[in-house]
Amino acid sequence: MMNFGLMGFGTVGSGVYEIISSGKAGKDYNIKKILVRDPSKPRKVSAPGELFTKDAADILEDEDIKLVICVMGGMEPEYTYIKQALSLGKSVVTANKEVIAAHMDELLDIARSNGAYLYFEASVGGGIPIISSLTDLIKLNTISQVTGILNGTTNFILTKISREHRDFADILKEAQEMGFAEADPSADVDGYDMMRKISILSAIAFGNMVDESNVIMRGIRNILLDDVLAAESYGYKIKFLGQGVRSGEGFNVCVEPALIKNDFVVGNVNEEYNVIMAQGDLIGKLCFMGKGAGKNATAEAVVSDVIKVMSKTDEYSSIKLKPANSEGARFEEMHEYYLRVSFNGYYSLSNTLDKISSLIKRNKIRVYNNMLFMITEAVNDSLMRELCGQLAESGRDVFFARIENNVL
Ligand code: NAP
Ligand code: HSE
């Protein structure tokens, strides 16, 4: 009998329990204990009451348990439990991107020096096998970029705004009911969830941990239906993207809404689906697409990792990580941008146009409903931030997003 400890019995944990107890992964796989906050809580998936505990020591100190599945969420206490399990020589499978983005290097070192395995496929892209694919790609390729729609909740929201013209808050509530959204959905909407996922992929691709403070991050909270419709009228979809791009000796990481032409694959990935594009010098551009969130897809990725642990090979042996570089990122790449600025009457419009012309050339302008819409010529991110900062200071409601052409 292979005994496992399961920490967390929410959306993902209950899915893991169902797959393991179905016997599909291995007839002798057994969940011996389940750690939750409240063992008496009524649950959608049932498990024998004696399995539940709120004491982590029941798992960590049980010598029969050689593998711990950590699917609770948040930094603490999960980070401490993962560290303790690995230090005791227990292997760990986790879906926790917050812990992995910040501590992947340290935790892999602890696992390796204690003869244990650490796998975290479900931490990025839900059911998409992107971590194992990337660890294979880096063996032969120099990776120049990883770009993706890495958050199911926000892709679901953007898809529904575009198709159903519904209210942002109403769609977010639907995503929460479907189990996609984080406990604190601002992690989805403001970009923290995507920042952690793209930091994990960038660290693996470029061999360096990522300092969160170096990531440019702009969320989608301020997107209006008008932006989605204006983008569509220019021939684009608005997508929320995470991107890591090699730049000179280093790399830049950003999380922001971007406009993508309708005929690119990435622009047509909808609902809770995720897509990740990696570009290597030998392989070229590759796309991976699938369900990025939800019970079954995520639990499937977790249980696939459990099977890897049981096969006793270190599939992450190609991951080599230098510590994060605290030097600020430089975003010199030039892009066209979509810009929307609100105004109030003729003088406000004329003043807005003057401000724009003082920094960039005016281009492809449309005006309706007291809003000015424009596609800029190619400029860099700092110039756009300066312009939009000036417009916002003078009381304008502003939204801008780069146009991304370097995808599949
Ligand atoms: P969830 O539904 O909120 O479930 C969390 C579970 O962990 C609950 O059973 C909760 O106990 C338990 N828990 C939380 N804090 C605890 C603590 N301090 N001590 C003991 N138990 C604790 O979360 P989820 O959606 O399954 O997500 C789990 C992890 O997977 C997160 O790291 C998330 O980011 C990641 N993930 C989720 C998805 C997805 O689609 N949901 C996809 C990929 C990755 P109670 O039940 O008693 O409250
Ligand atoms: N909240 C996350 C999402 C869950 O919507 O993608 C999967 O990591």
Side-chain angles (χ1 to χ4, degrees), residues 330-343:
R330 277 173 300 159
F331 287 83
E332 302 301 343
E333 285 87 11
M334 307 280 274
H335 291 279
E336 292 174 302
Y337 282 80
Y338 161 83
L339 172 68
R340 183 247 306 152
V341 193
S342 64
F343 60 86

Side-chain angles (χ1 to χ4, degrees), residues 97 122-123 126 150-154 180-182 188 193 197 274 292-293:
K97 52 251 168 178
S123 64
L150 296 168
N151 183 272
T153 304
T154 46
F180 309 149
E182 295 299 305
D188 297 299
D193 176 75
K197 291 169 175 168
N274 282 193

Side-chain angles (χ1 to χ4, degrees), residues 172-190:
L172 174 59
K173 199 160 155 269
E174 194 181 332
Q176 285 172 306
E177 282 159 10
M178 291 172 85
F180 309 149
E182 295 299 305
D184 171 7
S186 67
D188 297 299
V189 171
D190 297 326

Side-chain angles (χ1 to χ4, degrees), residues 8-13 35-38 41 43 71-73 77 95-97 122 179-180 182 293-294 298:
F9 198 75
T11 304
V12 183
L35 177 73
V36 287
R37 259 185 304 234
D38 176 6
K41 185 164 135 180
R43 302 190 179 268
V71 285
M72 295 191 294
N96 189 320
K97 52 251 168 178
F180 309 149
E182 295 299 305
T298 312

Side-chain angles (χ1 to χ4, degrees), residues 116-172:
Y117 299 100
L118 169 69
Y119 285 113
F120 43 85
E121 185 62 74
S123 64
V124 182
I128 307 172
I130 183 58
I131 309 266
S132 54
S133 304
L134 199 54
T135 57
D136 271 346
L137 287 177
I138 56 173
K139 290 175 188 161
L140 290 177
N141 288 270
T142 300
I143 305 293
S144 52
Q145 66 158 318
V146 274
T147 299
I149 296 174
L150 296 168
N151 183 272
T153 304
T154 46
N155 205 31
F156 185 81
I157 292 173
L158 290 173
T159 304
K160 295 273 177 185
I161 294 180
S162 160
R163 289 183 181 162
E164 298 171 13
H165 297 188
R166 273 166 59 203
D167 180 54
F168 191 105
D170 180 44
I171 310 170
L172 174 59

Side-chain angles (χ1 to χ4, degrees), residues 373-386:
F373 303 85
M374 169 177 158
I375 303 287
T376 72
E377 293 195 327
V379 294
N380 67 28
D381 191 77
S382 355
L383 189 55
M384 272 319 278
R385 273 185 291 164
E386 188 183 335

Side-chain angles (χ1 to χ4, degrees), residues 101 146-151 154 158 186-202 210-221 223 239-245 252-259 329 331 337 381 385 399-402 404:
V146 274
T147 299
I149 296 174
L150 296 168
N151 183 272
T154 46
L158 290 173
S186 67
D188 297 299
V189 171
D190 297 326
Y192 294 95
D193 176 75
M194 182 109 77
M195 187 252 286
R196 289 167 188 140
K197 291 169 175 168
I198 192 64
S199 296
I200 294 171
L201 296 184
S202 300
V210 174
D211 184 336
E212 281 192 3
S213 62
N214 282 341
V215 179
I216 284 199
M217 192 166 78
R218 287 190 276 268
I220 62 158
R221 205 178 271 280
I223 285 189
K239 291 292 176 190
F240 194 29
L241 289 189
Q243 187 170 57
V245 181
N252 292 324
V253 184
C254 61
V255 171
E256 54 184 353
L259 272 68
F331 287 83
Y337 282 80
D381 191 77
R385 273 185 291 164
F399 173 79
F400 72 103
R402 89 189 133 90
E404 179 57 65

